[in-house]
């Protein structure tokens, strides 16, 4: 039977600790194989695609391009901060990686919500002709001649000047057109894919609206529902922790400290974080390897993963003026926040009824050294 629990409001970030080099290599290979199998078993309509560890709330986030802030950075929508064009040697960085991943959606996905002209055969074939697959990692993703050619094609589809130069107008249009991943869980029982549990969290575009997440057993049965908040920072840099009562959509998913990504990722139970005030005293669930949608684009399980440290956890927020349920929880900086009693309940259900093991917390190190035991599905609802 469905157990109704307290309801949470907003996510936060996380960390990890353990360095088993040989195990990491072996499990890293196994994880990629498992991830590929899951992707094939799930929603085929989704495009192929994949922050670094959580930045403390009183610190300025690392620049997304990794090259410092250029003079015209303010003109670009985050996570982009600079002009991208052909250079020698080619430009690289998280911005190039994200550009390639988002462009691939427009070039290959007819359902992309972009201007109607892209659905005309001529425009679509032109975009497909220049299509490049998303890069596997940031390090191996240059802005080369093929990228410039694809960009010109995508710019024509988006209705902006086809210059082959990634400028602010193109960045705005690309984020509007390709941010939504259209991921939806198809009802597959987690155990058929090799997992012991699934957490599903529907979200609205306005992340200040709290949601109800549900824990499912390996056979798909609903076990426990709880309120959660998946709202990232409202502004950058984030205000001093904890930040309460924000409104609006929050910083986008592709930016460090932004909203919790949508899509599907492997999920695993880790021992408690070292900072109970910020993360609570209970074991946390950690997003480890992105499998579908924006999680696949952003959580690559490599040292240069665009995002990381995404946890489902609580906090000792009473220290800072929180009145308890149903008062809004603080912003999550990319994770999933839930009430203390909810996180405790999930931990006990996982370990006592589903046979899930509490892994030693790895403090964000990659590749993740264990075989993940669960899945997290975050789905955008109308």
């Amino acid at each position: 039977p469905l157990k109704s629990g307290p309801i949470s409001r907003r996510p936060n970030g996380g960390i990890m600790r353990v360095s088993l080099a040989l195990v990491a290599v072996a499990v890293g290979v196994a994880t990629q194989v498992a991830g590929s199998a899951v992707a094939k078993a799930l929603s085929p309509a989704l495009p192929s695609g994949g922050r670094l560890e959580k930045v403390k709330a009183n610190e300025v986030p690392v620049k997304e391009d990794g090259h410092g802030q250029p003079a015209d950075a303010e003109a670009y929508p985050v996570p982009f901060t600079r002009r991208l064009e052909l250079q020698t040697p080619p430009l690289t960085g998280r911005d190039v990686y994200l550009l390639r991943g988002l462009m691939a959606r427009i070039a290959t996905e007819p359902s992309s919500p972009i201007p109607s002209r892209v659905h005309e055969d001529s425009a679509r074939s032109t975009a497909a002709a220049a299509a490049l697959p998303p890069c596997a990692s940031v390090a191996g993703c240059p802005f080369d001649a093929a990228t410039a050619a694809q960009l010109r094609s995508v710019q024509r589809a988006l209705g902006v000047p086809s210059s082959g130069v990634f400028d602010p107008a193109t960045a705005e249009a690309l984020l509007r057109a390709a941010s939504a991943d259209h991921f939806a869980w198809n009802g597959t029982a987690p155990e058929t894919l090799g997992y012991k549990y699934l957490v599903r969290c529907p979200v609205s575009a306005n992340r200040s609206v709290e949601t109800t997440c549900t824990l499912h057993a390996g056979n798909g049965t609903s076990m426990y529902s709880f309120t959660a908040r998946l709202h990232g920072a409202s502004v950058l840099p984030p205000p001093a922790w904890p930040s309460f009562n924000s409104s609006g959509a929050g910083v986008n998913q592709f930016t460090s400290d932004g909203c919790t990504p949508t899509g599907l990722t492997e999920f695993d139970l880790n021992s408690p974080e070292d900072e109970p005030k910020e993360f609570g005293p209970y074991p946390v669930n950690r997003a480890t390897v992105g499998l579908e949608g924006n999680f696949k684009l952003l959580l690559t399980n490599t040292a240069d993963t665009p995002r990381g440290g995404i946890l489902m956890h609580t906090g000792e927020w009473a220290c800072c003026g929180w009145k308890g349920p149903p008062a809004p929880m603080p912003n999550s900086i990319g994770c999933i926040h839930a009430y203390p009693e909810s996180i405790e309940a999930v931990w006990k259900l996982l370990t006592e009824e589903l046979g899930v093991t509490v892994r030693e917390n790895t403090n964000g190190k990659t590749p993740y050294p264990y075989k993940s035991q669960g899945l997290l599905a975050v789905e955008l609802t109308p």
Side-chain angles (χ1 to χ4, degrees):
L2 182 66
K3 299 179 182 179
S4 181
I7 303 183
S8 79
R9 303 215 169 189
R10 312 186 181 181
N12 229 344
I15 14 183
M16 294 166 96
R17 50 177 132 143
V18 161
S19 67
L20 302 168
L22 294 177
V23 176
V25 172
V27 176
V29 173
T31 296
Q32 289 186 352
V33 173
S36 175
V38 173
K40 291 179 180 178
L42 296 174
S43 160
L46 289 177
S48 301
R51 159 182 162 194
L52 297 175
E53 200 55 25
K54 173 182 175 281
V55 177
K56 290 184 180 297
N58 61 353
E59 295 175 347
V60 177
V62 175
K63 290 300 172 186
E64 295 296 328
D65 55 36
H67 296 280
Q69 184 172 13
D72 62 346
E74 292 299 322
Y76 282 83
V78 292
F80 302 109
T81 61
R82 61 172 175 161
R83 177 186 179 98
L84 299 176
E85 59 188 334
L86 279 176
Q87 294 185 15
T88 303
L91 294 171
T92 60
R94 281 179 278 175
D95 49 1
V96 178
Y97 170 85
L98 291 173
L99 169 63
R100 283 274 296 267
L102 294 174
M103 287 199 304
R105 293 180 176 179
I106 290 179
T108 62
E109 187 182 346
S111 61
S112 291
I114 58 183
S116 58
R117 76 186 72 189
V118 81
H119 299 301
E120 300 172 5
D121 289 343
S122 58
R124 192 184 311 146
S125 62
T126 299
L132 291 174
C135 298
S137 66
V138 172
C141 198
F143 190 99
D144 54 15
T147 302
Q150 183 180 7
L151 179 57
R152 286 191 291 271
S153 177
V154 168
Q155 285 173 321
R156 287 192 290 271
L158 293 173
V160 297
S162 178
S163 62
V165 174
F166 188 68
D167 54 16
T170 303
E172 293 278 5
L174 183 64
L175 286 171
R176 283 196 303 270
S179 289
D181 57 18
H182 310 295
F183 171 77
W185 179 255
N186 65 2
T188 301
E191 63 187 14
T192 66
L193 303 172
Y195 300 94
K196 296 181 177 181
Y197 67 100
L198 162 72
V199 175
R200 289 186 67 183
C201 297
V203 293
S204 67
N206 182 353
R207 294 297 185 91
S208 65
V209 177
E210 295 190 344
T211 189
T212 299
C213 296
T214 301
L215 170 65
H216 297 264
N219 63 6
T221 302
S222 299
M223 298 186 70
Y224 181 73
S225 291
F226 55 99
T227 302
R229 185 173 183 92
L230 288 76
H231 193 298
S234 294
V235 295
L236 293 177
W241 182 91
S243 173
F244 291 94
N245 300 317
S246 67
S247 61
V251 176
N252 68 48
Q253 302 172 46
F254 308 101
T255 305
S256 297
D257 293 332
C259 289
T260 313
T262 53
L264 183 72
T265 179
E266 291 191 333
F267 217 30
D268 206 15
L269 189 64
N270 280 198
S271 57
E273 293 285 327
D274 291 333
E275 303 174 48
K277 180 179 291 186
E278 190 167 352
F279 298 102
Y282 308 111
V284 299
N285 272 272
R286 180 180 299 280
T288 59
V289 185
L291 301 174
E292 292 286 346
N294 288 336
F295 263 127
K296 183 174 183 179
L297 181 64
L298 296 169
L299 204 60
T300 59
N301 197 32
T302 57
D304 56 6
T305 182
R307 293 200 67 173
I310 296 176
L311 307 178
M312 187 172 78
H313 68 97
T314 188
E316 297 176 353
W317 305 313
C319 69
C320 307
W322 187 55
K323 305 298 184 184
M329 287 177 276
N331 283 342
S332 69
I333 317 300
C335 297
I336 300 175
H337 273 181
Y339 296 145
E341 50 267 46
S342 298
I343 296 301
E344 180 182 19
V346 169
W347 159 47
K348 290 182 176 179
L349 286 168
L350 290 178
T351 56
E352 296 175 6
E353 298 192 25
L354 298 182
V356 173
T357 300
V358 179
R359 312 287 200 187
E360 184 175 356
N361 198 310
T362 58
N363 286 326
K365 293 183 180 179
T366 52
Y368 188 66
Y370 310 114
K371 169 65 177 74
S372 296
Q373 301 168 91
L375 295 168
L376 168 66
V378 180
E379 306 158 72
L380 183 64
T381 59

